[in-house]
Amino acid sequence: MDGAEPEDPLASMAHDVAKAAAALVDLWDRTARAASPRLSGLQLCALMIVRVSPGINLTRLAEEVGAGASATSRLCDRLEAAGLLRRRRRRRPNDRREVGLVLTHQGHESVDAMHERRCRAMLEVLRSMPSDRRLHLLEGLRAFSEVTEAGEG
């Protein structure tokens, strides 16, 4: 025995999945770069979070996007200046100064348009794949999503 340990088959698979996922991420990013207004990945992420959590406060949004409060505030300043986001003061018994974030009509339209562009780009790729491979892809992605959403991955 030469002391070398056998390679973990899951480690090898993880590398293969990462390589394959890069193609999906590239497709995702290309559609974002073609958007009008052009949004960074972080800006789009923030808009999508605010869309599913209307009224979210700046602190929580910063946690969700993984940025500091001041950077997130500047991010929101830019989105607000672009007409995509609005800060709304909320009346809460424990803090009357708290501000909630909501998308504007244009913000909703921008997120919808991005979703449609991504679906069209994905459709073009899926049309080029054999149907059985498409089903395997969907099954695998659903299983992957279930595990990551449960916080196990």
Side-chain angles (χ1 to χ4, degrees):
M1 182 145 188
D2 63 4
E5 293 186 28
E7 185 173 333
D8 180 353
L10 282 180
S12 178
M13 181 180 275
H15 286 282
D16 292 343
V17 169
K19 185 176 179 180
L24 177 61
V25 171
D26 181 57
L27 178 72
W28 221 241
D29 288 345
R30 277 186 283 144
T31 58
R33 287 192 300 271
S36 179
R38 190 167 178 175
L39 301 169
S40 72
L42 186 60
Q43 289 172 323
L44 183 59
C45 179
L47 290 175
M48 290 168 60
I49 291 167
V50 172
R51 181 179 187 147
V52 298
S53 301
I56 190 171
N57 66 28
L58 190 63
T59 302
R60 181 74 182 133
L61 180 61
E63 291 170 0
E64 291 286 324
V65 299
S70 62
T72 304
S73 181
R74 289 189 303 274
L75 170 72
C76 290
D77 289 343
R78 289 188 296 276
L79 292 171
E80 196 169 24
L84 303 173
L85 183 82
R86 188 175 73 238
R87 288 176 167 98
R88 183 177 9 174
R89 296 222 178 268
R90 298 190 294 187
R91 293 200 178 264
R92 296 183 61 179
N94 58 346
D95 186 354
R96 293 178 185 242
R97 298 168 296 155
E98 186 170 338
V99 174
L101 303 167
V102 294
L103 294 186
T104 62
H105 180 71
Q106 184 181 352
H108 280 282
E109 287 181 343
S110 292
V111 172
D112 288 345
M114 175 63 67
H115 178 73
E116 282 304 311
R117 274 191 298 282
R118 285 178 167 169
C119 287
R120 283 193 308 270
M122 189 67 66
L123 178 61
E124 291 305 311
V125 173
L126 291 172
R127 281 188 173 137
S128 301
M129 293 174 63
S131 62
D132 62 324
R133 308 280 306 268
R134 290 191 298 253
L135 290 173
H136 289 306
L137 173 65
L138 181 58
E139 289 170 1
L141 287 172
R142 282 182 175 159
F144 189 89
S145 293
E146 288 170 9
V147 172
T148 58
E149 287 171 8
E152 297 172 16

